[in-house]
Amino acid sequence: MVVGEFTREVDTVVIGGGPGGCSAALRAAELGVETVIVDRLDTLGGNALHHGCIGLKTMLRVVEVIRVADAASALGVKFTRPSIDVAHLHRAAGERIERQAAELDRLCRERSIEVIPGAARFEGPRQLVIADGPTRRFHFRKAVIATGARPLPPPGGPSKSPRILDWRGALELKEIPKTMLVIGGGPVGVELASVYAALGSEVTLVTQEERILAAADPDLVRPLAARLDELLAEVRPASCVTGLNEKAEGVEVRFQNDGGTARRVFDRVLAVAGSKANTDGLDTAKARIELNENGAIRVDQQQQTSNPRVYAIGDVTGEPYLVEKARHQGRVAAEVIAGGDSVFDARALPRVVFTDPPIAWCGITEQEARNVGIGHLVTTVCGDGSPSGAGMGSSGPMTKLIVDPETKRLLGVGLAGPGAAQLIAVAALALEMGAVAEDLAGTVLPYPAMSEPLGEAARQVDR
Amino acid sequence: MPTDFRLPDLGEGVTEGQVVRLLVAEGDQVTEDQPLLEVETDKVSVEIPSPHTGVVAKLHVVEKQVINVGAVMVTFAEDFSTPAAAVEPKPKAAATAPAAARSADGPADTGVTVARTVAGRTKPASPAVRKLARQLGADLQTIEGSGPGGRVLRQDVERAAAAPSPQAVPDQWGPTRREPMTRARRTIAQVMARSASTIPHVTDTDDADVTDLDRLRREYHGRKLTILTFVVRATAMALQEHPLFNARFDAETGDIIYHEYISIAIGVHTERGLIAPVIRNVDTLTIPQIADELEALAEKARRATLAVNDTRGGTFTISNAGAMGGSRYSTPIINHPQSAVLSLGRTRLQPWVVKGKIVPRSILPLSLSFDHRLIDGANEVVFMQAIIGLLQDPAELG
Ligand SMILES: Cc1cc2nc3c(=O)[nH]c(=O)nc-3n(C[C@H](O)[C@H](O)[C@H](O)COP(=O)(O)OP(=O)(O)OC[C@H]3O[C@@H](n4cnc5c(N)ncnc54)[C@H](O)[C@@H]3O)c2cc1C
């Protein structure tokens, strides 16, 4: 230790100022716990705000507007072809991000939460150092790790290339590339692929899995898969990328599947297939914090790690990567630190793919029920399938209910089609409340609205 | 559709009972009226007979669990739905909507395997109720939900939390063990605490020389009777002369309420604890009739078939402590809201002074507690002597 350096005593340190870390700090402060946030960015909001969610959601909004305008022609309303100013779009997204970051900053200041820039690292079970900048040491009573996850580089590629991007770069492209490869068939990959296709790129989507969105119910994915077949240049399921070569005309990509190998050249490659918990720089071993086999931090239901002083929340604890999961876990950790007995016991965890058509589900899926051997009954009601663009009539998403055959309790809800992203909130509430189908069937829903198939499905279970 | 069987209404305003014993297991074939389980309410325990002949697919209760009237206890694999339910037409799936309701493949929906069907592994309960359960330290998974689909409700959690589960709880000095009281024991605890804390007790002790009575009772009109039979008779006669001991004090109004009838509760010890079934209108019964009543009560107590009503409506209590062991005197607690209780010690041969000589006599020790709010020591002495006089001169007992 350098002479003259002093160690500061703090009650609770939150490492990482993303949605998880911020909500932990805000809740802790609300409960009267002295809290500081350390983040290596000089702004709050984390990945969700600065490198993903908001940027992508803004672009998806553009895609939606284009489609709604298109669909309006059915009602006799015609628009001219849209022109897209990408720089303007980025600026708009940037402003939105700024505003939200400023709001987080204000909330923290209001509650006297100090925000310290720098990368934190453990020096012992209750010691922390902030490495960059003037070194500072902390002695904490409690710590919350909320450092999120980061993208893994694609296999077999050059370590740095302006043409090969992860999700951080994918949302900052200055112009729409002519051809693009998206590596990764998860929600982010599918969303990015459909954004750039709608904006005019020839997009190829490749995934190692047998199909895109492998975690989702195949019945729900089918309408989207059909749409992507029209929209994208190509979808390559069950394929590996084995090599990336930077050339003058673009990136040459080698694919391999059961059928053999193939080579193609793309202007840009977006690699969003894998990510990893941000634990590397933390020196978790020094604080006796155990990781699981995927390198994520192991926690119990109260978000406590193997070091009883230290909690971990959000993406750094593993999949699924969801903003609201991180926030809830943050509040649980804060309440436990303040002496409460909270646990994270969410049963619904809504998942949404913001594509066109959108897909949403919560609770268990039919495959999960079958794999685990949970008795279940499935009822499916198709929406009328017409695009919601015109905002007319009673179209709604295809709705799939998974219920317990004995009690008719809802175990899972899946939606595919217009309104899915919003409607899944109703389903999540029903699941958390332990509702039986009759509860949903007995609820008067609005008309005309996207909720109609949901009510109809519940009534069918009830019969 | 399997059939649920719920805890039926047990009458007498009883809303819950505790499962004492399960008499069948999951998978058992049972016949109609075969006892399924034994449930204990305030002071009675009842065997619940099966309403159907069929297979027990699932038991929803465990021993020691407290369940509400209406809670599902057993699910039968078969469909026994009543004709009334069958009348409801089962509408076909609407032909207009392109819909499909189907059963999942897999083994889960045949009737017999219904017991293996797990509803998502977790108990249905709203987030607020789950939080409450945590706060009260109740294990949600073990709570029987009384809501639709077995949903655990706020009151289910509160009730479960009120009944602590067995667990080891170390204290400062060493390990201890926590166990729930039986329903019957809890009732006794409440009743005793109320009596001891609201009634100012005074206890007096004396002896009755029952040598002559002991001879008489061995061959009473060709029948061997217990000393207790005669004590009941003597007490009934004494109560007729001393109505204060057959009264109760109304603390609200300050009135004394005299009972115009004499019904004596007999405190007996059973496996389930202390109970006091009542012999009604004792003053109108002959000695053989009292003996018959006592025998009937003893039989019911042994078989635990006493009804709730059998233990209510007593005006005075006799506790036969002597029958349970070697005690001589005790300080019995009054059976609230009565005004007095008589406890019998064990009759034994004692050296006794009769007409200036020490002779062996059969001596019955008596202990009498009374409510000092309405009875004074002077009253008590007279009442005790009246009973002793009758026991020492059995000819008077008629
Ligand atoms: C493109 C994209 C789209 C997404 N879309 C959605 C969506 O639609 N819906 C949804 O729910 N989720 C979405 N997600 C996931 C979501 O962004 C994450 O689940 C969420 O950000 C997790 O929050 P967090 O607080 O755990 O971590 P993060 O938001 O990742 O925040 C972690 C913070 O910790 C800081 N940090 C890391 N290490 C250190 C260190 N050693 N010292 C100090 N600070 C450190 C980082 O700078 C960062 O600010 C999306 C993600 C991406 C990439």
Side-chain angles (χ1 to χ4, degrees):
Chain A
M1 194 190 276
V2 182
V3 182
E5 218 178 59
F6 79 104
T7 300
R8 190 174 142 190
E9 294 282 337
V10 284
D11 190 290
T12 298
V13 186
V14 177
I15 310 166
C22 282
S23 74
L26 290 170
R27 183 75 183 125
E30 216 167 77
L31 295 171
V33 177
E34 178 215 358
T35 311
V36 301
I37 298 178
V38 184
D39 197 302
R40 60 184 178 202
L41 301 179
D42 54 3
T43 168
L44 294 173
N47 256 331
L49 203 50
H50 300 287
H51 294 300
C53 257
I54 300 295
L56 182 50
K57 288 331 113 78
T58 307
M59 295 175 100
L60 282 161
R61 174 86 183 125
V62 172
V63 175
E64 189 191 347
V65 168
I66 294 173
R67 196 194 18 76
V68 171
D70 259 2
S73 66
L75 297 173
V77 182
K78 290 218 169 74
F79 297 92
T80 49
R81 251 185 83 76
S83 83
I84 298 159
D85 179 343
V86 178
H88 192 127
L89 178 55
H90 285 317
R91 223 177 309 125
E95 278 165 21
R96 210 170 137 197
I97 290 166
E98 292 288 298
R99 264 201 311 279
Q100 294 198 16
E103 174 64 9
L104 278 174
D105 201 51
R106 188 188 63 78
L107 284 171
C108 286
R109 228 166 318 132
E110 223 175 66
R111 288 176 174 74
S112 312
I113 298 166
E114 188 184 343
V115 181
I116 299 167
R121 158 169 74 74
F122 288 98
E123 270 204 328
R126 53 171 310 188
Q127 291 92 325
L128 206 64
V129 267
I130 299 178
D132 4 312
T135 307
R136 287 206 249 182
R137 288 198 153 70
F138 285 101
H139 229 224
F140 56 83
R141 181 180 71 92
K142 299 280 182 181
V144 179
I145 305 176
T147 50
R150 67 187 149 74
L152 284 177
S159 59
K160 243 183 167 75
S161 155
R163 292 177 185 272
I164 303 170
L165 308 162
D166 60 38
W167 33 258
R168 287 176 289 203
L171 297 159
E172 284 153 15
L173 286 176
K174 295 284 175 286
E175 62 216 38
I176 308 299
K178 196 171 166 309
T179 57
M180 172 185 278
L181 173 70
V182 176
I183 306 174
V188 172
V190 171
E191 286 176 1
L192 280 170
S194 54
V195 162
Y196 280 101
L199 295 179
S201 279
E202 274 177 39
V203 180
T204 299
L205 179 64
V206 60
T207 173
Q208 289 187 351
E209 309 285 341
E210 290 298 311
R211 55 192 178 86
I212 58 163
L213 298 172
D217 184 318
D219 291 345
L220 302 180
V221 177
R222 208 163 292 126
L224 172 65
R227 177 97 183 94
L228 290 180
D229 280 342
E230 292 168 18
L231 199 66
L232 305 188
E234 194 188 358
V235 177
R236 304 179 72 105
S239 301
C240 291
V241 171
T242 53
L244 297 163
N245 255 327
E246 176 120 46
K247 301 208 160 171
E249 68 276 24
V251 183
E252 188 193 58
V253 181
R254 277 192 310 268
F255 299 104
Q256 186 171 6
N257 65 7
D258 277 357
T261 56
R263 274 166 209 265
R264 293 242 156 58
V265 177
F266 298 92
D267 281 349
R268 290 284 191 278
V269 173
L270 304 188
V272 293
S275 41
K276 189 180 175 306
N278 272 330
T279 52
D280 309 2
L282 282 174
D283 260 344
T284 45
K286 282 200 179 142
R288 294 197 285 273
I289 297 163
E290 283 172 21
L291 309 181
N292 68 19
E293 56 287 353
N294 300 320
I297 296 180
R298 196 196 301 277
V299 289
D300 65 11
Q301 266 209 317
Q302 296 201 310
Q303 307 302 135
Q304 200 174 44
T305 67
S306 50
N307 175 345
R309 293 180 177 278
V310 180
Y311 299 73
I313 60 170
D315 288 5
V316 77
T317 63
E319 291 187 274
Y321 298 147
L322 296 168
V323 167
E324 276 301 318
K325 184 187 106 174
R327 289 194 175 133
H328 272 261
Q329 292 182 338
R331 283 188 284 267
V332 167
E335 286 164 12
V336 173
I337 285 170
D341 57 1
S342 303
V343 299
F344 181 71
D345 69 344
R347 291 170 176 189
L349 275 194
R351 318 281 283 273
V352 181
V353 187
F354 294 87
T355 41
D356 172 30
I359 296 174
W361 71 98
C362 63
I364 63 170
T365 64
E366 189 181 356
Q367 304 92 287
E368 280 165 355
R370 202 178 307 134
N371 292 346
V372 184
I374 292 173
H376 62 287
L377 195 91
V378 179
T379 298
T380 309
V381 168
C382 300
D384 73 358
S386 74
S388 65
M392 297 281 293
S394 60
S395 63
M398 171 207 214
T399 300
K400 191 164 177 177
L401 300 186
I402 324 285
V403 301
D404 176 67
E406 247 182 292
T407 60
K408 305 290 157 60
R409 174 185 168 198
L410 294 174
L411 302 177
V413 177
L415 305 170
Q422 287 71 34
L423 269 177
I424 202 67
V426 177
L429 179 64
L431 259 91
E432 289 290 351
M433 296 296 291
V436 291
E438 200 180 359
D439 293 324
L440 202 50
T443 303
V444 178
L445 299 172
Y447 175 90
M450 305 296 187
S451 46
E452 266 178 69
L454 190 60
E456 177 57 25
R459 281 189 294 279
Q460 294 209 3
V461 175
D462 217 17
R463 268 168 207 148
Chain B
M1 257 295 281
T3 309
D4 287 339
F5 177 47
R6 294 161 193 278
L7 179 63
D9 192 344
L10 302 172
E12 278 288 328
V14 171
T15 57
E16 59 176 26
Q18 186 177 40
V19 178
V20 183
R21 222 150 28 106
L22 294 173
L23 303 170
V24 293
E26 287 181 5
D28 280 5
Q29 166 78 44
V30 297
T31 53
E32 192 174 334
D33 285 335
Q34 178 181 337
L36 296 175
L37 67 170
E38 196 179 327
V39 173
E40 188 177 80
T41 67
D42 276 350
K43 279 210 166 179
V44 203
S45 88
V46 269
E47 282 179 354
I48 309 278
S50 171
H52 311 294
T53 296
V55 173
V56 176
K58 182 158 176 56
L59 280 171
H60 298 269
V61 295
V62 294
E63 288 184 1
K64 290 197 175 176
Q65 184 181 338
V66 175
I67 52 174
N68 280 346
V69 168
V72 176
M73 301 186 296
V74 174
T75 300
F76 291 96
E78 297 82 357
D79 187 350
F80 297 113
S81 47
T82 61
V87 175
E88 281 179 27
K90 282 209 168 175
K92 293 197 190 94
T96 46
R102 59 198 159 85
S103 242
D105 355 345
D109 19 17
T110 54
V112 201
T113 52
V114 117
R116 279 195 282 131
T117 316
V118 205
R121 314 265 172 192
T122 53
K123 285 267 171 155
S126 76
V129 168
R130 283 181 252 156
K131 182 167 185 193
L132 180 73
R134 273 198 312 280
Q135 282 168 345
L136 298 180
D139 178 5
L140 198 68
Q141 291 305 116
T142 65
I143 299 177
E144 177 74 15
S146 62
R151 190 188 303 160
V152 178
L153 308 180
R154 178 169 285 272
Q155 68 252 32
D156 298 329
V157 171
E158 284 165 352
R159 205 169 295 123
S165 57
Q167 54 185 205
V169 264
D171 68 17
Q172 196 181 348
W173 313 111
T176 64
R177 191 160 48 92
R178 184 191 282 274
E179 263 188 25
M181 273 185 169
T182 62
R183 288 284 312 157
R185 194 67 233 171
R186 267 196 278 162
T187 307
I188 292 172
Q190 280 165 8
V191 168
M192 291 302 169
R194 185 177 49 184
S195 280
S197 62
T198 60
I199 302 176
H201 282 64
V202 177
T203 304
D204 183 29
T205 61
D206 210 331
D207 301 289
D209 177 347
V210 293
T211 312
D212 296 342
L213 180 60
D214 199 38
R215 208 173 298 122
L216 180 72
R217 69 154 186 117
R218 288 173 195 278
E219 193 88 43
Y220 188 84
H221 300 297
R223 200 171 157 191
K224 185 174 170 184
L225 301 181
T226 58
I227 294 263
L228 177 65
T229 313
F230 295 90
V231 175
V232 171
R233 172 72 179 163
T235 306
M237 288 170 73
L239 286 172
Q240 279 179 316
E241 300 300 316
H242 302 276
L244 262 185
F245 290 81
N246 197 47
R248 66 188 150 91
F249 180 59
D250 184 345
E252 298 262 301
T253 60
D255 294 338
I256 299 173
I257 295 165
Y258 290 95
H259 298 109
E260 306 279 355
Y261 55 92
I262 296 173
S263 295
I264 296 181
I266 310 293
V268 289
H269 189 80
T270 70
E271 264 176 38
R272 287 179 188 79
L274 194 64
I275 56 169
V278 175
I279 307 179
R280 289 180 207 288
N281 304 313
V282 191
D283 48 327
T284 66
L285 302 181
T286 64
I287 287 173
Q289 282 171 332
I290 293 174
D292 291 345
E293 290 278 336
L294 282 171
E295 269 166 29
L297 287 183
E299 180 67 11
K300 276 196 193 176
R302 203 168 48 243
R303 291 171 171 253
T305 55
L306 285 166
V308 175
N309 253 356
D310 288 338
T311 62
R312 295 192 177 160
T315 58
F316 184 92
T317 296
I318 297 176
S319 165
N320 196 6
M324 299 164 210
S327 96
R328 280 158 75 90
Y329 306 109
S330 60
T331 56
I333 290 181
I334 294 165
N335 190 354
H336 185 93
Q338 297 165 12
S339 66
V341 54
L342 177 68
S343 173
L344 313 183
R346 204 174 64 177
T347 304
R348 56 182 129 190
L349 279 179
Q350 301 260 317
W352 214 248
V353 179
V354 181
K355 288 179 194 147
K357 281 205 179 102
I358 295 177
V359 289
R361 303 289 288 179
S362 293
I363 301 303
L364 170 64
L366 298 172
S367 307
L368 184 79
S369 294
F370 60 91
D371 184 344
H372 209 345
R373 291 174 303 182
L374 63 162
I375 299 170
D376 286 330
N379 311 126
E380 188 274 330
V381 171
V382 180
F383 178 64
M384 178 80 107
Q385 289 312 313
I387 293 174
I388 292 173
L390 287 166
L391 294 176
Q392 298 193 152
D393 190 2
E396 291 286 313
L397 290 171

